[in-house]
Amino acid sequence: VLDVGRMAQCWRSAFRSCNIPRACAESGANRVALPLVQQASGLKHIVIPTSHIHRARSIIVQSSPDASAVVATPSTTQVDGLCWTTQDVDPAAGALVEGQERLPLYSQYPLDRKAEWRRDREKLDQLMGSPHATWLPLWRDKCLVHPNPEADTSSSPPVTSSPTLWHLALLKGPASEVLTPSAGTQQASDAAPSTVASGPETPTTSAFVSSAPSVIPIFLGIDASGAPYFALDVVDPEQCKAAAGSGAQWRAVRSLELSTSQSALASTAVGLLQWNRATQYGSSTGAPNQAEAGGHARRDSRSGRSEYPRIDPAVIMLTTTGSSDEWCLLGRKPEWPEGRYSTLAGFMEVGEPLEVAVAREVEEESGVPVSLPSVRYVASQPWPFPRSLMIGFYCRAGAGAGAGARPRGYELLGTDGRRAAQDVGLKQEEVEQVLLPALPAPRPQEDEMADVRWFHKDFVRAAVYSKTGSAALAGARQFHIPGPYSLANRLILGWIHGNSSSHVDTPAAPATEARSQPPPSSWAGEGVPQVSLDTGVFKYVLMRLSDEEGRSKLLVWGDSRAGYHMNVFQAAKAFAHRLDRSLRLEPLGGGRMEHYPDQGVCHMYGYSVAFGAAPHEISAALVRRWYPFTSITTSYEGY
């Protein structure tokens, strides 16, 4: 059995050169023996059936006809005389820096950009004429891709890492073969590679040449083997797709689940192409612009002034509040899918520092003031759709105007609630932990935000890490956050993991474990649900859960099947003891509840004969953590 992992470099080298598929096509052989660069287990050749090379998405590799087979993924196929590859990019030594692999999506650019070569026309012509030149076809904001046959689409999408569902379809070969009439279906042109880079004289007879004559192939850099990469603006997308073979599709880069290196490569290429197409005329003279510097600059033909790609910086921030930043502010736009909530964001204004932009955008979109000294930089993310740079921050809600002395302890409760809290033995510090700080009431910006509200960390953690998402949470209204492609996802997960006070460093969980691995619990009591409620009208009990080390938390449990408040208490106690016999549970009063999460309403009232009246304001505040979309009212009337 061949150890494919040990021979990774051999595979990359052999398939990148296209010698194997091309030799098969020319000879008509039905199998080929690939000589090994390094012998493995005494083998000298790998016998590869050619039927598995052409158009196939996998090949069978055997050491002998009777040996067990292993499956490998091909990197190159031949279609109508053109050499296509879906292999991932080998990062160049000068591309990735230490720690870059932890940056957000689109940040891990795999190529050495070689900016010093961009103005060397002779060098660019030489690179385009190389048999190892790699070409990325683009059409508008779309790239050509093949589905990944090994991708598992049966499970829920992961939280912290994107699955690779697609591979870029890349052309390999010199410009004389790629940029020819009919894309390889007719005899190749004799045009010299230098003609390809000559701006407005670029031929337009190939499917792989820009429909905008002044948009030249864009030099993207070189990979680990020194192979140069170029982006192509195609003139005939249907012809190009047909040339790429069965299964090829044009897909918007922004919606694709590619590998991290291919995502960065494709997004950068699309951003540069969009800029070239939108900047074909000088902004001051209106004269045609000529592409230069390998597609990274354009020169006004009349004034001689050079223009460069513009970047629009935008701030994106997670606003928190609470004694341990347990609340975060999220919003949704009207055009977003149902239930999607994300961090607030907005573009910077002229003459505005980053910190002030953060505070201004939060207050504009939500009406919540921000403490300027609390603004902390986290990370940035290229967002070339078409030309943004997202700059991520954490910040804390400020006190706002008119903030003065605030009530403390029992003073936070009304007369009935204060009496109930004292009667059942609720501590003043527990009242403060639940009711403080008072959450600033958000006011969604008109015509900009459909909703803005506070979410508790416990709810967001449960919704994000549950195997079924928020579907497991009653009244969650399909709540979900942006996927792992976004900086917003990084900010929210970093907050869940307790990193909101400093630079985010959220470890990426394996795709199969991402939803099932929330942050580890610090004590057994974390395994006891803080809020466990039925639907309809039922009895409920407020309780204190604690352990021998003094750790504690309050619980609110209710069950429509319980005939007495004692039944609710005993059920909670049994649950806790199954986790840890040392956990203690104390009743802090009870009452009744009318709870209809699907309608978004909940009313707490009355008292318990066995335990007395619970301070319903405390119960309501705890329930609100887990039911952010429910309107909760309280009353001490009735039974």
Side-chain angles (χ1 to χ4, degrees):
V1 178
L2 176 67
D3 184 352
V4 177
R6 291 176 54 191
M7 310 236 358
Q9 186 58 45
C10 172
W11 280 104
R12 286 195 293 267
S13 175
F15 278 113
R16 182 185 294 112
S17 67
C18 307
N19 291 335
I20 296 173
R22 187 171 298 166
C24 295
E26 293 173 354
S27 66
N30 59 11
R31 65 178 184 171
V32 62
L34 170 64
L36 304 185
V37 176
Q38 279 189 315
Q39 293 187 9
S41 305
L43 299 177
K44 295 183 179 180
H45 297 83
I46 308 171
V47 179
I48 307 174
T50 58
S51 60
H52 290 282
I53 294 179
H54 295 283
R55 302 178 185 268
R57 308 310 306 161
S58 64
I59 61 176
I60 304 298
V61 181
Q62 294 180 316
S63 57
S64 69
D66 299 325
S68 300
V70 293
V71 179
T73 301
S75 58
T76 305
T77 57
Q78 285 275 345
V79 181
D80 295 332
L82 288 175
C83 185
W84 291 88
T85 179
T86 57
Q87 72 177 21
D88 209 349
V89 184
D90 292 333
L96 298 179
V97 297
E98 184 178 357
Q100 186 173 341
E101 70 279 358
R102 305 192 69 85
L103 294 179
L105 198 66
Y106 308 128
S107 303
Q108 301 172 38
Y109 194 69
L111 304 181
D112 186 339
R113 297 175 187 261
K114 289 295 181 183
E116 66 272 20
W117 291 355
R118 293 172 183 168
R119 295 189 180 275
D120 188 339
R121 293 287 296 277
E122 184 177 347
K123 181 67 175 180
L124 292 181
D125 288 349
Q126 177 187 347
L127 294 173
M128 284 192 285
S130 167
H132 303 297
T134 306
W135 307 82
L136 172 58
L138 300 173
W139 178 55
R140 299 176 180 172
D141 65 337
K142 297 178 175 62
C143 58
L144 198 58
V145 292
H146 281 284
N148 177 12
E150 300 175 3
D152 180 11
T153 59
S154 61
S155 58
S156 301
V159 176
T160 58
S161 59
S162 288
T164 302
L165 302 183
W166 303 89
H167 293 304
L168 290 177
L170 302 171
L171 276 164
K172 297 188 78 72
S176 58
E177 293 183 8
V178 174
L179 304 180
T180 55
S182 301
T185 58
Q186 299 178 8
Q187 187 171 353
S189 167
D190 293 330
S194 58
T195 307
V196 177
S198 60
E201 287 76 33
T202 301
T204 58
T205 53
S206 167
F208 307 105
V209 180
S210 173
S211 55
S214 65
V215 179
I216 64 173
I218 301 170
F219 177 56
L220 301 174
I222 62 172
D223 67 8
S225 68
Y229 281 66
F230 295 88
L232 285 174
D233 181 24
V234 305
V235 64
D236 190 335
E238 291 304 315
Q239 182 183 353
C240 183
K241 183 173 73 171
S246 175
Q249 300 180 37
W250 287 107
R251 298 291 295 265
V253 174
R254 187 173 176 177
S255 63
L256 279 176
E257 293 87 0
L258 298 165
S259 69
T260 55
S261 59
Q262 288 198 348
S263 293
L265 179 68
S267 62
T268 300
V270 164
L272 285 168
L273 175 62
Q274 296 282 67
W275 173 77
N276 271 275
R277 293 186 65 89
T279 321
Q280 296 184 56
Y281 297 92
S283 58
S284 58
T285 67
N289 274 342
Q290 305 298 326
E292 59 181 11
H296 292 259
R298 301 188 69 85
R299 183 179 295 274
D300 190 306
S301 60
R302 183 176 303 169
S303 67
R305 177 177 175 270
S306 292
E307 294 189 29
Y308 300 90
R310 194 183 92 188
I311 304 298
D312 296 336
V315 291
I316 179 170
M317 49 274 163
L318 184 70
T319 306
T320 62
T321 192
S323 58
S324 57
D325 291 325
E326 65 270 23
W327 293 91
C328 78
L329 188 67
L330 301 177
R332 57 172 279 102
K333 292 184 177 293
E335 64 271 19
W336 286 358
E338 183 66 27
R340 179 184 177 184
Y341 280 79
S342 183
T343 54
L344 304 184
F347 289 103
M348 296 183 63
E349 295 188 351
V350 176
E352 186 176 46
L354 290 165
E355 298 84 350
V356 174
V358 167
R360 175 186 56 78
E361 280 293 340
V362 172
E363 190 153 14
E364 283 182 0
E365 294 189 345
S366 70
V368 174
V370 166
S371 169
L372 206 58
S374 74
V375 178
R376 295 289 183 272
Y377 170 76
V378 178
S380 61
Q381 179 185 30
W383 197 257
F385 310 114
R387 54 177 181 242
S388 298
L389 174 66
M390 308 304 295
I391 309 171
F393 295 89
Y394 287 123
C395 61
R396 304 191 81 249
R406 301 281 187 178
R408 310 290 298 186
Y410 294 140
E411 296 177 355
L412 293 165
L413 300 169
T415 303
D416 293 331
R418 189 180 312 160
R419 182 185 304 114
Q422 293 172 333
D423 289 345
V424 299
L426 187 67
K427 302 174 183 178
Q428 295 206 60
E429 55 267 29
E430 290 175 322
V431 174
E432 293 181 359
Q433 288 172 4
V434 174
L435 298 184
L436 291 180
L439 301 178
R443 299 188 306 274
Q445 184 179 9
E446 189 176 355
D447 300 328
E448 181 74 17
M449 306 298 295
D451 185 33
V452 180
R453 63 181 65 223
W454 293 99
F455 292 89
H456 195 271
K457 183 178 293 186
D458 291 341
F459 170 83
V460 179
R461 180 192 292 118
V464 167
Y465 284 102
S466 169
K467 292 182 178 180
T468 57
S470 61
L473 305 176
R477 297 187 182 179
Q478 302 179 16
F479 173 89
H480 63 278
I481 63 173
Y485 59 86
S486 68
L487 185 52
N489 180 280
R490 283 290 188 99
L491 291 171
I492 295 171
L493 293 187
W495 167 68
I496 290 175
H497 286 262
N499 298 329
S500 59
S501 60
S502 60
H503 187 90
V504 62
D505 191 24
T506 305
T512 57
E513 302 178 3
R515 285 192 177 272
S516 58
Q517 298 297 323
S521 300
S522 58
W523 68 299
E526 290 293 340
V528 181
Q530 184 170 53
V531 174
S532 177
L533 300 178
D534 210 337
T535 299
V537 182
F538 50 85
K539 294 179 174 66
Y540 91 89
V541 179
L542 176 68
M543 298 163 281
R544 179 191 295 123
L545 180 72
S546 60
D547 65 4
E548 296 175 348
E549 298 184 25
R551 293 171 293 197
S552 68
K553 73 175 184 179
L554 300 179
L555 311 179
V556 178
W557 280 40
D559 192 338
S560 62
R561 298 167 298 178
Y564 301 95
H565 288 89
M566 182 62 73
N567 298 140
V568 178
F569 176 75
Q570 290 174 341
K573 186 175 181 179
F575 187 99
H577 284 178
R578 283 197 296 270
L579 297 177
D580 189 339
R581 297 291 299 180
S582 67
L583 292 175
R584 297 191 300 267
L585 201 63
E586 307 166 63
L588 298 174
R592 287 183 178 268
M593 192 179 299
E594 298 175 3
H595 183 227
Y596 299 97
D598 292 341
Q599 301 176 25
V601 294
C602 178
H603 180 59
M604 300 179 184
Y605 61 96
Y607 62 95
S608 164
V609 173
F611 305 134
H616 297 312
E617 297 96 321
I618 299 297
S619 302
L622 294 173
V623 171
R624 196 171 286 116
R625 295 180 178 184
W626 290 90
Y627 293 86
F629 301 104
T630 296
S631 175
I632 304 175
T633 58
T634 63
S635 170
Y636 286 87
E637 301 295 329
Y639 167 64

